Amino acid sequence: MTVRTFRRLAVYCGSASPADPRYVALARDVGGVLAQRGIGVVYGGGKRGLMGALADGALGAGGEVIGVIPEALANAEIANPACTELRVVTGMHARKQAFADLSDGFLTLPGGVGTMDELWEAASWSQLGYHAKPVGLLNAFGFFDHLLAFNRTMIDTGFVREAHAGILIADSSIEALLDRMAAHQPHTPVFAMSANQL
C-alpha cells in the first residue's frame, strides 16, 4: 500500500468562536500537530475564531501557514498578517481553486455554512475526478455525526455510488485521521466510469 506524504493540507474551519472553548482549542491543537508533522497549512486567511487559532497553533510550532482570503474580507480588516504568506484573491471561487492548487489534501474541522460549502465541493470534485486527493473530516465531539449519517443516507438511497462511499474519511482523532488520509487509495471517478456504471 502506498502511503502519501503531505507537503500541505487545505484546512477548512469556522471563523466564529463558539461559546464552547473546546472548538478553538481543537483548531489550535490541529495547527500544532500539522506543523510537528512538517505539513503546511493552507486556510482562509482570517485571524478570528477557529481560523485564527489554527494559524496560531501552526505558526507557534514553526509551521508554514498560507492564508487565502478574498479582497472583500481582507478589506474588512480580518486578514491575518502573521501568515507565512497571505494571498488576496478576487472572490470565493478563486479562493477555493487556490486551496485545491496549493494542497495535497483537504481537512475539515467544525464550522458553519462556508466550511460546509468547502467540504462538499472538495468531495464533489473528488467524486467527479477533478482531483484524487483525500478528503478528511475531523469529527471532534461528535460535531459531524448527523452529517455522516446523512452521507450514509445518500449512499444507501443510491444518490452516492458505492464506489464513492469512502470519499469522506472521518475520525475523531487528528493523528488517526492524518494516518488514514495518508493511506487513502483513489477511487474510480465519474469521469473514468463507463455508461453502464453511471
Side-chain angles (χ1 to χ4, degrees), residues 121-132:
E121 183 164 285
S124 175
W125 285 13
S126 174
Q127 180 177 276
L128 291 169
Y130 284 111
H131 71 77

Side-chain angles (χ1 to χ4, degrees), residues 90-180:
T90 55
M92 295 300 287
H93 292 296
R95 179 195 231 180
K96 289 190 284 185
Q97 187 63 59
F99 287 152
D101 292 342
L102 292 168
S103 70
D104 303 310
F106 307 90
L107 172 61
T108 301
L109 310 185
V113 173
T115 303
M116 294 303 94
D117 172 50
E118 291 161 343
L119 167 67
W120 287 117
E121 183 164 285
S124 175
W125 285 13
S126 174
Q127 180 177 276
L128 291 169
Y130 284 111
H131 71 77
K133 303 171 184 179
V135 180
L137 190 65
L138 184 57
N139 188 26
F141 323 123
F143 183 82
F144 290 115
D145 284 353
H146 295 294
L147 182 146
L148 291 167
F150 175 62
N151 190 57
R152 186 70 247 176
T153 297
M154 291 192 291
I155 296 163
D156 291 344
T157 53
F159 287 108
V160 173
R161 297 166 185 85
E162 280 295 336
H164 304 140
I167 288 176
L168 290 185
I169 305 167
D171 207 291
S172 60
S173 158
I174 183 58
E175 297 280 8
L177 179 57
L178 291 172
D179 290 343
R180 291 179 59 199

Side-chain angles (χ1 to χ4, degrees), residues 39-93:
I39 302 171
V41 170
V42 181
Y43 87 117
K47 62 184 179 183
R48 298 177 181 163
L50 272 68
M51 278 194 191
L54 170 76
D56 289 347
L59 291 166
E64 175 193 47
V65 176
I66 299 176
V68 184
I69 192 165
E71 290 173 355
L73 293 176
N75 292 337
E77 299 182 353
I78 64 167
N80 188 349
C83 292
T84 309
E85 179 183 350
L86 184 64
R87 298 189 180 195
V88 179
V89 296
T90 55
M92 295 300 287
H93 292 296

Side-chain angles (χ1 to χ4, degrees), residues 1-4 132 134 166 169 180-188:
M1 177 189 300
T2 303
V3 176
R4 298 168 182 256
I169 305 167
R180 291 179 59 199
M181 290 173 67
H184 168 70
Q185 299 299 309
H187 56 273
T188 302

